Amino acid sequence: MGKGQQENVATSLAGAVSEEISASLAPVDAELERRYPGDPGTRQPVHTVYVPADAFAADTVRSWGDRALAALDEHAPDAASFAAVLGLADDLAGPVYDRVRAKLEREPIEDLRVDFEDGYGRRPDAEEDEAAARAARLIAQAYADGTAAPYMGIRVKCMEASVRRRGIRTLDVFLTGLMDAGGLPDGLVLTLPKVTYAEQVTAMVRLLEEFEKARGLTPGRIGFEIQIETSQSILATDGTATVARLIQAAEGRATGLHYGTFDYSACLGVSAAHQASDHPAADHAKAIMQVAAAGTGVRVSDGSTNVLPVGPTAKVHDAWRLHYGLTRRALARAYYQGWDMHPGHIPTRYAAVFAFYREGYEQAAGRLARYVNRTDGDVMDEPATAKALSGYLLRGLDCGALDIAEVARLAGLTRADLEGFAAPRRGDLTASAK
């Protein structure tokens, strides 16, 4: 066939066949859109800081930042010493250290959870009532005066019979306090711990529905995280996986699945010395969480370490290396969030996150630029990979590891461009990049 000559195109199927198939799959199309809407495209914090309700104060966010800076001053006063502890490459040492200090000064905590569960324990009702009202007042005040973390909220007691009424009342007191102080902040996050049955998630949904009705809020306004801390939340009594049921029981309100390192490990009989986020039992649970949440818009969070960076410098360095290594391990497995229990953890949280994004952003931006410009490289990328590359760069920008100017210089793209690639339409991911 000569150049420019038109190809003869023939078909065998009647036109009605395609219409009939599309009609038969319409319910599936609707189900896919409902159950798997994709990532919400909002910022995901790199960590959740856990503060017992009786220890929460107006200056908690700033205090944690100051204590973290003091730990750096005492145990790693410059980039070289910090890099030596963590094994950072020479070209990363300065940029990571400078950004960690800047982050601790500007935004030391990204997500703060005032804890009314294990970290608080059982108290007289009047005492917990007062603590819940106080938490609401302080959080509302923090958002009003600009000192809040981007995300803040509470972890209530679970839906088990022995503490159910107390948990419901604490949630009511807290949410009522926020409403009376001016309304629910955009960064509000609630955590429901120790979920074992989907019916407990349904109960949380009903509770929030009633609160929304009582206060005239838009239906669905209040979401919550589900904490995975029991074997029953992973495997049901009939041997089937439970996590997907929990997500669906939330009826669109679930925002995250958070792994509870120590409760889950203890539930499986793991001895205290081996309870850690890199234990095989933890890897199994988180892998199931990750698959169940994929595409649903529900984010997965790793747990925490209870090895605190306190005491003499050698001991602090050991704890820092452990925490840094666990955080890097989680990032490589696509667990972009974890829990921190002490101010001394946040320097290594940010060091691990910043190093993760800074050591790979040039390659990621270059690959994305070649994909956009359809130029040859050593990797053949497709729309799904472009989505992953853009998501990686956006996460780096959100946490402060990267600046948009340096990403734009390499990729030639704006933030809006990156967001477009990170949230493609469903059909675009199955289309060829060519």
Side-chain angles (χ1 to χ4, degrees), residues 122-403:
R122 296 196 184 193
R123 309 288 182 97
D125 283 341
E127 183 178 344
E128 185 158 339
D129 281 351
E130 184 177 357
R134 179 171 169 272
R137 175 176 58 80
L138 293 177
I139 287 176
Q141 179 182 320
Y143 277 106
D145 64 23
T147 61
Y151 299 92
M152 298 183 79
I154 65 170
R155 180 170 73 167
V156 296
K157 290 177 172 63
C158 68
M159 284 290 180
E160 292 178 358
S162 62
V163 293
R164 183 184 304 137
R165 290 182 182 276
R166 182 61 259 181
I168 290 172
R169 181 172 175 83
T170 295
L171 184 62
D172 187 10
V173 170
F174 175 72
L175 292 177
T176 298
L178 289 177
M179 291 297 298
D180 291 347
L184 305 182
D186 290 339
L188 175 67
V189 190
L190 306 175
T191 304
L192 179 66
K194 293 184 176 60
V195 175
T196 53
Y197 282 81
E199 288 82 356
Q200 294 168 333
V201 175
T202 299
M204 183 70 164
V205 171
R206 298 287 89 82
L207 178 61
L208 296 177
E209 285 177 342
E210 290 302 318
F211 187 88
E212 288 165 350
K213 291 176 185 176
R215 298 305 299 242
L217 295 169
T218 302
R221 165 66 180 84
I222 310 173
F224 61 97
E225 302 164 336
I226 300 169
Q227 200 155 18
I228 304 299
E229 301 180 276
T230 68
S231 60
Q232 296 93 337
S233 61
I234 295 296
L235 198 68
T237 54
D238 61 0
T240 59
T242 315
V243 183
R245 296 183 195 172
L246 303 182
I247 293 173
Q248 294 308 315
E251 300 178 22
R253 293 178 186 265
T255 58
L257 298 175
H258 286 234
Y259 176 67
T261 304
F262 306 104
D263 281 283
Y264 187 84
S265 298
C267 184
L268 269 61
V270 179
S271 62
H274 297 283
Q275 292 178 358
S277 61
D278 58 351
H279 190 280
D283 286 341
H284 172 259
K286 287 180 286 189
I288 293 176
M289 291 163 57
Q290 190 173 45
V291 173
T296 65
V298 178
R299 270 78 175 265
V300 174
S301 174
D302 199 359
S304 60
T305 176
N306 60 358
V307 179
L308 304 183
V310 296
T313 294
K315 187 177 179 182
V316 170
H317 286 181
D318 286 343
W320 274 354
R321 277 188 286 266
L322 174 65
H323 186 243
Y324 178 87
L326 290 173
T327 303
R328 286 300 305 259
R329 184 180 189 272
L331 290 168
R333 287 159 173 74
Y335 309 134
Y336 298 113
Q337 185 175 355
W339 281 55
D340 290 327
M341 301 175 68
H342 189 274
H345 283 140
I346 55 177
T348 39
R349 171 69 61 182
Y350 292 130
V353 171
F354 293 170
F356 177 75
Y357 291 111
R358 292 206 64 79
E359 69 188 18
Y361 85 93
E362 291 186 3
Q363 182 185 42
R367 283 179 65 178
L368 192 56
R370 288 191 293 274
Y371 172 83
V372 171
N373 296 318
R374 299 294 192 268
T375 56
D376 293 332
D378 57 355
V379 179
M380 182 180 292
D381 288 325
E382 296 190 356
T385 307
K387 175 182 178 181
L389 291 168
S390 298
Y392 172 86
L393 295 171
L394 285 168
R395 289 180 184 278
L397 291 169
D398 284 342
C399 70
L402 307 175
D403 299 322

